[in-house]
Amino acid sequence: MHKVIYDTDPGVDDAMALLFLHRHPEIDVIGITTVFGNASVETTTRNALFLKREWDIPAPVAKGASVTIDAARAEREWPAMVHGDNGLGNIEVPHTIDLPLDPRPAHRFIIDTVRANPGEVRLVAVGRMTNLAMALKEDPEIAGLVKDVVIMGGNFYVPGNVSPVAEANIHGDPEAADIVMTAPWKVVVIGLDVTSITTMSRSYLAAMAAKGDGAVKLLDGLSQHYIDFYTHAVDDGMMVHDSCAAVYVVAPELFTTITGAVRVVCGGIADGQTVVKPDDRRFPPGDWDGLPSQIVATGIESEKVIDLIRDTLLRA
């Protein structure tokens, strides 16, 4: 079993990835940590509790960061046009969910859980990297105790989605992302190079919902606003960004990767850009030298990924 802490900002595609992680027979979700991003951390935490309740997920939920690790950064508006005003596609969600939160802040939950399960925890982070960076700053030794970190974020050989060069999760807290990428642990970066070409059509999702249980029907409902947003880029469907990272946990063979040190640009017109120095390329001395070699996804078997998502979600 893969022991997973899911660091998330639900978020429509976050919700699909959560249901995938919950239902895959080889994954044990041992914690859900929330972060600001697709909405405020109050809203993303409420959404995580809502999905936990609706989908009967036993994992505890810990509330995380509400601002960037560099507090001087000005917050941008929440992307309501993508995920809806409530983060879940404007479906009806109660203002409060009568479930307890873990008493620890998310970064402390991560530290304690990793230390209680040395060498076993896989961090699947699909929002801003703030919680992970805070955990590293408070307890740097956890880098040697985590099995690996699988993130949805970044872009290397394709354009960004919030600027010509930056992807949203990284752009939302570049300093945190650079801390995570350069720490001495294994990071797998599942970015727009592969997620932007992995799409699920409205009809495919509807067929899943017709065949599936109430959880899949709820997922179909909360995805409609998100699909409507993607009409500029996808033919009546949506990119399943976060689910690609979840799939990597159990099916890395569906991805083509390269290795190399990764840095994140912090500031200027390229703010949030992710840059890899491939291990098989030589350059003059620079800011990538002496850093850990990470794994960057550059290719994906999209149809097989989509089918694996479907087959997993239909496991009631």
Side-chain angles (χ1 to χ4, degrees), residues 165-288:
V165 297
E167 179 275 331
N169 288 339
I170 306 301
H171 187 258
D173 196 341
E175 285 81 8
D178 194 56
I179 290 170
V180 169
M181 299 291 191
T182 58
W185 56 10
K186 176 183 174 183
V187 179
V188 181
V189 189
I190 307 295
L192 297 180
D193 300 70
V194 296
T195 68
S196 63
I197 58 173
T198 306
T199 61
M200 182 178 290
S201 70
R202 194 189 305 264
S203 60
Y204 191 101
L205 180 59
M208 284 170 47
K211 191 174 182 180
D213 62 357
V216 184
K217 289 177 172 58
L218 174 61
L219 182 63
D220 178 53
L222 65 85
S223 298
Q224 297 307 308
H225 178 93
Y226 191 65
I227 293 172
D228 291 342
F229 165 77
Y230 268 114
T231 54
H232 68 284
V234 180
D235 184 17
D236 201 30
M238 60 182 173
M239 300 176 189
V240 292
H241 299 292
D242 295 345
S243 291
C244 291
V247 166
Y248 183 90
V249 172
V250 292
E253 69 276 5
L254 298 180
F255 297 79
T256 303
T257 61
I258 62 172
T259 60
V262 177
R263 295 301 309 268
V264 179
V265 178
C266 300
I269 63 171
D271 198 28
Q273 182 177 15
T274 48
V275 185
V276 60
K277 177 189 177 186
D279 287 333
D280 62 356
R281 293 289 305 276
R282 290 187 177 184
F283 297 94
D287 292 332
W288 289 261

Side-chain angles (χ1 to χ4, degrees), residues 125-159:
V126 298
R128 303 179 188 195
M129 304 292 122
T130 317
N131 290 334
L132 276 61
M134 291 174 66
L136 283 169
K137 290 191 74 172
E138 184 167 318
D139 188 353
E141 292 181 359
I142 66 165
L145 302 175
V146 169
K147 186 172 183 178
D148 66 358
V149 182
V150 182
I151 73 167
M152 189 279 126
N155 56 294
F156 296 89
Y157 303 113
V158 300

Side-chain angles (χ1 to χ4, degrees), residues 105-120:
H107 74 281
R108 190 71 236 179
F109 177 90
I110 291 170
I111 291 168
D112 293 347
T113 306
V114 167
R115 285 198 165 275
N117 301 271
E120 297 183 33

